[in-house]
Amino acid sequence: MIKIKTELLKSMIDKSLKVCSFDKLSPLTELIEIKIDGEDLSLQTTDKITNMIVKGKIEGNTETARVVVDAKIFAALISKTSTEDVELNITQSSLIVTGNGTYYLDIRIDESGEIISFPEISVDANKEAREIALDELSARMAICRPAIPDNFDTPELNNYY
């Protein structure tokens, strides 16, 4: 059983849901991955283009766990929780959330019966960061701007690449 401060979980969910697109054609965009490794808590979401990982610290936890559940249901449940702490317990088929009550959320699995995996994101924190001058950034954006459509007929083209 893993105890997490409700306010920490609420703020992390609010940040991570900004990337969820809830696209019915891509089920991965409707899910949230909860990964706990000792005192490290991370929530991962995606909208097929952007992958977001929000990280936080859980004081005094030593357990390790990973689970994928429906993002809307989990967010709605946690947003209504008024207790100081939320307890998460993972069983074979469900995530048990205990706060104002006890709730069972289905764990999302793939066709082979394994928990769904989000794309692995690796960032080299030791790699040197490169600074770019504002005028150089403005010039690059000016070059890209004409290629961006001004309507939403082709949503896959509405971002800078």
Side-chain angles (χ1 to χ4, degrees):
M1 187 165 313
I2 302 159
K3 230 179 203 187
I4 303 171
K5 296 283 184 197
T6 305
E7 289 306 312
L8 170 68
L9 197 53
K10 282 181 182 180
S11 70
M12 290 177 68
I13 290 171
D14 287 344
K15 291 174 188 171
S16 65
L17 285 186
K18 291 180 180 175
V19 173
C20 277
S21 63
F22 300 104
D23 182 5
K24 296 290 183 198
L25 298 176
S26 181
L28 195 61
T29 64
E30 299 178 330
L31 304 177
I32 186 166
E33 179 182 52
I34 305 162
K35 200 182 290 186
I36 300 164
D37 188 17
E39 291 190 348
D40 296 326
L41 168 67
S42 64
L43 304 179
Q44 184 172 356
T45 54
T46 187
D47 66 356
K48 295 188 297 185
I49 296 171
T50 306
N51 295 309
M52 177 178 266
I53 300 175
V54 179
K55 295 188 176 198
K57 292 283 186 193
I58 307 171
E59 299 295 323
N61 183 55
T62 58
E63 295 185 42
T64 300
R66 186 180 79 80
V67 67
V68 175
V69 294
D70 186 283
K72 275 187 183 176
I73 295 171
F74 185 67
L77 177 64
I78 299 301
S79 70
K80 302 279 189 215
T81 303
S82 60
T83 59
E84 185 177 337
D85 295 319
V86 174
E87 293 178 0
L88 303 178
N89 192 8
I90 301 169
T91 64
Q92 200 69 5
S93 63
S94 63
L95 171 67
I96 303 169
V97 180
T98 307
N100 293 347
T102 302
Y103 304 92
Y104 296 81
L105 303 179
D106 290 333
I107 294 175
R108 296 299 185 95
I109 57 173
D110 60 13
E111 58 275 351
S112 65
E114 297 294 319
I115 296 175
I116 292 175
S117 294
F118 274 70
E120 195 64 35
I121 300 172
S122 61
V123 177
D124 187 5
N126 297 326
K127 190 174 179 182
E128 182 179 324
R130 184 177 151 229
E131 289 188 27
I132 184 168
L134 181 60
D135 57 341
E136 184 180 350
L137 178 63
S138 297
R140 289 183 184 193
M141 289 177 68
I143 292 169
C144 296
R145 190 169 287 121
I148 298 176
D150 56 358
N151 57 30
F152 291 102
D153 293 340
T154 54
E156 66 275 3
L157 299 176
N158 287 335
N159 296 304
Y160 285 97
Y161 288 101

